[in-house]
Structures are given as structure tokens and as C-alpha cells.
Amino acid sequence: PALADSVHTSGDPPDAASPTVGEYIELDAMLDGAKVSPQATRTRSNTDDSDKLSVSPHAINREVTFDDGQTAVEDASQEHQIKIEYSETRFSLKKLWQFIGPGLLVSQALLDPGNIESDISQADTSGYKLLWLLLVAHIICIFVQSLAARLGVITGRHLAQHIRAQYPLPFAIVFWVLSELAIIGADIQEVIGTATALHILTGLPIWAGVVITAVDSFFFLYIQRFGVRITEMVFGLMITTLAVCFWIEMFLIKPDAREVVKGMVIPRIPQGSVVQAVGIIGCVLMPHNLFLHSALVGSRKLDRRQETREGAIREAIRYFRIETSISLVYAYLINMAVVIVFCKAFEILRASNTPYVASLAEGATVLSHVLGSGSKYVYAIGLLAIGQSTTMSGTLSGQYVTEGFWNMPIKPWQRVLVTRAISLVPALVVAVTASVHMDLLSEIINVIQAI
């Protein structure tokens, strides 16, 4: 009934009834075989042969239209979109390759310097014993991120737009503020983490690395000019760089496989590890990733003609679910490798009574004692790659959040300017006055993300 009341013919006045999330649930149900009330009419455009189904709530920009000229969450800042031709085949690796990308960009946020710091802290306080929680958090993340992608594909709008439309203004403002704080907090971690990598590689002071990192973000925005596919490939390469660096070190350090398996399957939280446990959840289930994923699916232009619309949307949901699962399992394997490498390194140092500091900045020193001086450069290269690549995910998240909540288009370079200007101040303060407490700040941010 809610759908029947809100779906109207083109040209009719919008329904004044307060819209509900149920409208979009009904649209979802249509794809699962439910039937729409006869009162929900379809109309044919006078200018083309497209068949149009319009859900028209009363708020500004609340109309959702499905037709052959519309794609899910089309992003005006993207110069190119990937056109997906609908086919009735059950599964195709070639078709899956066309959908690979959004989940990979989202997985970057699960690997940023804040997550690396959390992995190191986890390894120091609880060893392998929290690997099960890391696994559970990634499984939950797969489920939640799949829902975010599904939202964007079915409704054609991303999460920020839905929150602004469905909630009263005061609640929407609270959501917006919390989302912006989460993005800025993650940005601080990325800036300091990348500056740390530059310090290890070049000897630059942390404060100088912070300034360089804040500026070079604009270079990565330039990559977008080459299209969606090139952008996705570049950042996929960054993630793979991190993966290769830590998988090499994991192979060299020879961890205890039995302890690894026990840590993954036996649920337990050691005494004194509650903060690290909560931080793991905050590192993996990141609020701004939901906004980002529901919007990135718009980079795929689906075949939404009347005769193929339902099948195309079903197909997109299925392939995005698979792509999300692959990307986040990939992220889990990288995070697990970081934990395993430092667990074994700390065990060796403790056995030899060698003092150490479990922190992002001292991670290179720890590995140098165990694997030799060359390992610190491998560590720094991986940290630099992921620190730089997560810049883009944070920028795009902020862009979609601002546009969705306030219907205010903002260019990516403007977004970088704003977020970097805000995050630069606390990052510089920490780098100059309290560099030894950078990891404490990162832990606090991770806990806040979880809350």
C-alpha cells in the first residue's frame, strides 16, 4: 500500500504522505517476485520508449526513477562509466571482472595506517588470540557492505541521500557530523602513517612528511581524469603492494601455524585487551565506508530497459556481493599477515630479552631486529603505498556525504582541500609536540570509530 500510494504517473502532483523506508523495501521485494498493486502505474515517456517507474516522496530530490536513461547513483565527477550489458548466463568470470572495483576501493579503508597500528597493538597485547575477532569483524563487514551496495543498485541513490530524505533534519545533522568526524579521524591516521613511512625511507622529520602528504593528495586526484578503470587498477596495485610486502615478511619469519589456527577458531579476549578488541571493530566496520560503497556502485552503467531491468539489477546485486566478498577476504588476509608477522617478531624479541616499542613508528625497528635491516624498507614501502591510496577513499566518502546530506555538489579537489586543512592541524600538533603518543591517538580514533 505504501508503494501504491507513492508511485504515480508522470505529471501528477507528488504524494504529500510522509515517505518511509518501506517504499524502498517494496521496490526490493519486487525483484524477489513480489507483485505491485495495480494502482502502481507505469507510464511511457513522450520523447522515447522508456518505461518509467517513479517513487515520488515530497522532499526535495526524493524522486527515484528507473528507466533506460538512468543509472544507479551516477557520479558527475566521473568522466567515464563502465557499461554493463545484461546476459542471462548463470555466472561468468568475464562478467565478474566488469564488476571488480568498488569493493576493492572500499577495502582500502580496512588497511589504512590506523588499521596497521591496531594490528601491531593487537599482536603485542594478545598475540594470536584476537584473530577470531578480526575474522568475525570482516565477515560482518562483508554482510553490511553488501547491503550498502544493494541499496545503491536497487534505489539508485546512496546512503547519505537516503538518510537526508528519511530522517528529520536534526537527526540528519547528527548523522552528518558523526560521518564527517569519522572521515577526518581516519584522515589524521593516514597523514601521520604516510609521514612515518617517509621518515623511515628518507629520514625526513615527521612534521615535514605530514606537510608533503597533505599536498601530494592532489596528485592522486589527477588519476581520476583517466577514468574509473584506471583509477581502480592504480589503487588495487597499491593494496597489492602492501599485501606482497607483508606476505614476504610472513614467509620469512616462519610463524607457528598451530597458534594461528587456534587464534582464528577459539573465541577469547585476553585480560587487558578490551581496548584492542573494540579498536578492531572500529577499524573494520568504518561508518564512511557505507556511504562510499552505496555510491561507488554507480560507476557501473546497467541496462535498465524495461525488458532487462529486473534481470540486470538482480545480476548486479549478485556480482557486487561476490566482488565485495573477494575484496574484503583479501583485506582480511593482509590484516592477518600483519598481526602474524608482529606476533612472531615480539615473541622472538621477548625470548632474547630485547627491549622494543609496539607502535607504528617503531614497527620498522622491530622487524629490523628480527629479519634484518632490509625488512624496515619493505615495511615502509607497504605503509607508504596504503597510506597514499586511502587518501582517495576518504576523499570520495567525504564528497558523497556532503553532496548527499546537503544536495551541494563539491569537486574532489575542494574536498581534499577542506579535509586536509582540518586534519593537518591536529596531525602537525601531534607530530611536533607529541610524536611518542601518535599510536595512543590512533587507538582513541579506532575506538571512537567503533562507537
Side-chain angles (χ1 to χ4, degrees), residues 82-102 229 300-303 308 311-320 322-323 326:
I82 300 172
K83 186 175 181 179
I84 308 292
E85 296 291 343
Y86 171 65
S87 60
E88 296 183 358
T89 55
R90 292 183 61 86
F91 180 79
S92 166
L93 289 176
K94 182 178 179 181
K95 177 62 69 69
L96 176 61
W97 174 251
Q98 293 180 293
F99 285 93
I100 294 290
R229 212 53 173 161
R300 270 55 180 176
K301 187 176 181 66
L302 305 182
D303 185 356
T308 59
I313 293 177
R314 281 180 179 274
E315 179 184 67
I317 291 172
R318 181 172 69 253
Y319 279 106
F320 275 130
I322 296 172
E323 187 258 352
I326 293 172

Side-chain angles (χ1 to χ4, degrees), residues 4-290:
D5 291 339
S6 62
V7 178
H8 63 89
T9 57
S10 300
D12 293 341
D15 189 353
S18 179
T20 66
V21 177
E23 295 169 354
Y24 300 106
I25 295 176
E26 290 289 342
L27 285 173
D28 194 353
M30 287 169 56
L31 299 178
D32 292 329
K35 293 183 179 180
V36 187
S37 165
Q39 297 166 296
T41 59
R42 294 184 180 274
T43 62
R44 190 165 298 278
S45 170
N46 294 327
T47 58
D48 55 35
D49 293 331
S50 62
D51 199 23
K52 199 172 281 189
L53 172 63
S54 299
V55 179
S56 178
H58 68 287
I60 297 176
N61 294 326
R62 296 288 308 279
E63 187 175 34
V64 176
T65 301
F66 291 138
D67 66 347
D68 62 341
Q70 188 84 353
T71 61
V73 204
E74 289 188 357
D75 181 8
S77 70
Q78 294 173 337
E79 296 183 6
H80 309 282
Q81 288 183 315
I82 300 172
K83 186 175 181 179
I84 308 292
E85 296 291 343
Y86 171 65
S87 60
E88 296 183 358
T89 55
R90 292 183 61 86
F91 180 79
S92 166
L93 289 176
K94 182 178 179 181
K95 177 62 69 69
L96 176 61
W97 174 251
Q98 293 180 293
F99 285 93
I100 294 290
L104 200 60
L105 290 176
V106 167
S107 71
Q108 291 181 123
L110 280 66
L111 300 166
D112 69 5
N115 287 60
I116 303 299
E117 187 281 327
S118 176
D119 293 337
I120 295 173
S121 178
Q122 172 189 341
D124 180 48
T125 59
S126 56
Y128 304 101
K129 296 177 182 178
L130 288 180
L131 284 177
W132 69 272
L133 182 59
L134 187 66
L135 175 61
V136 169
H138 278 78
I139 292 173
I140 296 174
C141 187
I142 290 173
F143 173 72
V144 175
Q145 294 297 153
S146 295
L147 289 179
R150 185 182 180 93
L151 178 73
V153 171
I154 294 176
T155 67
R157 308 168 76 219
H158 57 79
L159 181 60
Q161 294 172 320
H162 279 287
I163 291 178
R164 179 64 185 91
Q166 298 292 338
Y167 285 85
L169 182 60
F171 287 94
I173 291 175
V174 171
F175 277 116
W176 173 71
V177 171
L178 292 176
S179 302
E180 292 289 358
L181 289 176
I183 293 169
I184 292 170
D187 203 52
I188 293 173
Q189 293 175 315
E190 293 158 12
V191 168
I192 293 180
T194 307
T196 300
L198 289 173
H199 172 70
I200 297 170
L201 291 171
T202 66
L204 281 173
I206 297 294
W207 68 265
V210 168
V211 174
I212 292 173
T213 303
V215 174
D216 70 3
S217 303
F218 293 96
F219 168 76
F220 287 91
L221 289 179
Y222 181 76
I223 297 174
Q224 283 188 298
R225 296 173 58 89
F226 299 98
V228 176
R229 212 53 173 161
I230 297 297
T231 302
E232 292 171 348
M233 289 176 64
V234 168
F235 292 105
L237 179 62
M238 295 286 194
I239 296 173
T240 302
T241 300
L242 177 69
V244 170
C245 288
F246 276 100
W247 288 347
I248 289 175
E249 293 184 331
M250 183 173 64
F251 175 78
L252 294 175
I253 208 167
K254 296 181 175 62
D256 187 338
R258 182 180 177 184
E259 289 299 318
V260 172
V261 173
K262 284 176 60 179
M264 292 176 62
V265 301
I266 301 177
R268 48 189 170 166
I269 299 179
Q271 187 175 3
S273 300
V274 174
V275 172
Q276 284 73 26
V278 176
I280 289 172
I281 298 172
C283 284
V284 176
L285 299 171
M286 306 185 78
H288 57 278
N289 255 2
L290 301 177

Side-chain angles (χ1 to χ4, degrees), residues 377-393:
Y377 298 109
V378 177
Y379 170 81
I381 290 171
L383 186 60
L384 179 64
I386 201 62
Q388 289 292 281
S389 67
T390 48
T391 294
M392 184 56 63
S393 61

